[in-house]
PDB file of all heavy atoms in Angstrom:
ATOM      1  N   ARG A 698     -37.214 -49.342   7.991  1.00 52.00           N
ATOM      2  CA  ARG A 698     -37.282 -49.675   9.408  1.00 52.00           C
ATOM      3  C   ARG A 698     -35.971 -50.259   9.932  1.00 52.00           C
ATOM      4  O   ARG A 698     -35.885 -50.628  11.100  1.00 52.00           O
ATOM      5  CB  ARG A 698     -38.420 -50.670   9.650  1.00 52.00           C
ATOM      6  CG  ARG A 698     -39.803 -50.115   9.318  1.00 52.00           C
ATOM      7  CD  ARG A 698     -40.862 -51.141   9.635  1.00 52.00           C
ATOM      8  NE  ARG A 698     -42.200 -50.617   9.331  1.00 52.00           N
ATOM      9  CZ  ARG A 698     -43.315 -51.331   9.508  1.00 52.00           C
ATOM     10  NH1 ARG A 698     -43.243 -52.569   9.983  1.00 52.00           N
ATOM     11  NH2 ARG A 698     -44.489 -50.789   9.213  1.00 52.00           N
ATOM     12  N   ASN A 699     -34.982 -50.375   9.065  1.00 60.00           N
ATOM     13  CA  ASN A 699     -33.734 -51.015   9.466  1.00 60.00           C
ATOM     14  C   ASN A 699     -32.597 -50.004   9.419  1.00 60.00           C
ATOM     15  O   ASN A 699     -31.818 -49.967   8.480  1.00 60.00           O
ATOM     16  CB  ASN A 699     -33.443 -52.206   8.538  1.00 60.00           C
ATOM     17  CG  ASN A 699     -32.199 -52.970   8.985  1.00 60.00           C
ATOM     18  OD1 ASN A 699     -31.815 -52.916  10.150  1.00 60.00           O
ATOM     19  ND2 ASN A 699     -31.578 -53.664   8.045  1.00 60.00           N
ATOM     20  N   ILE A 700     -32.563 -49.175  10.435  1.00 64.00           N
ATOM     21  CA  ILE A 700     -31.499 -48.182  10.558  1.00 64.00           C
ATOM     22  C   ILE A 700     -30.555 -48.647  11.646  1.00 64.00           C
ATOM     23  O   ILE A 700     -30.970 -48.851  12.792  1.00 64.00           O
ATOM     24  CB  ILE A 700     -32.056 -46.788  10.895  1.00 64.00           C
ATOM     25  CG1 ILE A 700     -33.018 -46.325   9.798  1.00 64.00           C
ATOM     26  CG2 ILE A 700     -30.921 -45.789  11.068  1.00 64.00           C
ATOM     27  CD1 ILE A 700     -33.673 -44.997  10.106  1.00 64.00           C
ATOM     28  N   THR A 701     -29.316 -48.877  11.314  1.00 83.00           N
ATOM     29  CA  THR A 701     -28.327 -49.342  12.282  1.00 83.00           C
ATOM     30  C   THR A 701     -27.190 -48.344  12.374  1.00 83.00           C
ATOM     31  O   THR A 701     -26.987 -47.521  11.482  1.00 83.00           O
ATOM     32  CB  THR A 701     -27.778 -50.720  11.889  1.00 83.00           C
ATOM     33  OG1 THR A 701     -27.139 -50.612  10.604  1.00 83.00           O
ATOM     34  CG2 THR A 701     -28.890 -51.756  11.820  1.00 83.00           C
ATOM     35  N   SER A 702     -26.459 -48.448  13.447  1.00 90.00           N
ATOM     36  CA  SER A 702     -25.309 -47.568  13.654  1.00 90.00           C
ATOM     37  C   SER A 702     -24.116 -48.394  14.087  1.00 90.00           C
ATOM     38  O   SER A 702     -24.259 -49.455  14.711  1.00 90.00           O
ATOM     39  CB  SER A 702     -25.616 -46.514  14.721  1.00 90.00           C
ATOM     40  OG  SER A 702     -26.608 -45.615  14.265  1.00 90.00           O
ATOM     41  N   LEU A 703     -22.947 -47.911  13.759  1.00 94.00           N
ATOM     42  CA  LEU A 703     -21.698 -48.528  14.162  1.00 94.00           C
ATOM     43  C   LEU A 703     -20.878 -47.520  14.949  1.00 94.00           C
ATOM     44  O   LEU A 703     -20.999 -46.303  14.759  1.00 94.00           O
ATOM     45  CB  LEU A 703     -20.903 -48.999  12.948  1.00 94.00           C
ATOM     46  CG  LEU A 703     -21.546 -50.076  12.059  1.00 94.00           C
ATOM     47  CD1 LEU A 703     -20.640 -50.394  10.888  1.00 94.00           C
ATOM     48  CD2 LEU A 703     -21.858 -51.333  12.870  1.00 94.00           C
ATOM     49  N   ALA A 704     -20.016 -48.029  15.814  1.00 94.00           N
ATOM     50  CA  ALA A 704     -19.107 -47.192  16.602  1.00 94.00           C
ATOM     51  C   ALA A 704     -17.686 -47.716  16.412  1.00 94.00           C
ATOM     52  O   ALA A 704     -17.475 -48.934  16.272  1.00 94.00           O
ATOM     53  CB  ALA A 704     -19.482 -47.208  18.079  1.00 94.00           C
ATOM     54  N   ALA A 705     -16.715 -46.792  16.386  1.00 95.00           N
ATOM     55  CA  ALA A 705     -15.306 -47.171  16.260  1.00 95.00           C
ATOM     56  C   ALA A 705     -14.529 -46.576  17.422  1.00 95.00           C
ATOM     57  O   ALA A 705     -14.737 -45.409  17.784  1.00 95.00           O
ATOM     58  CB  ALA A 705     -14.730 -46.675  14.932  1.00 95.00           C
TER      59      ALA A 705
END
Side-chain angles (χ1 to χ4, degrees):
R698 297 182 180 179
N699 184 23
I700 300 176
T701 61
S702 293
L703 298 178

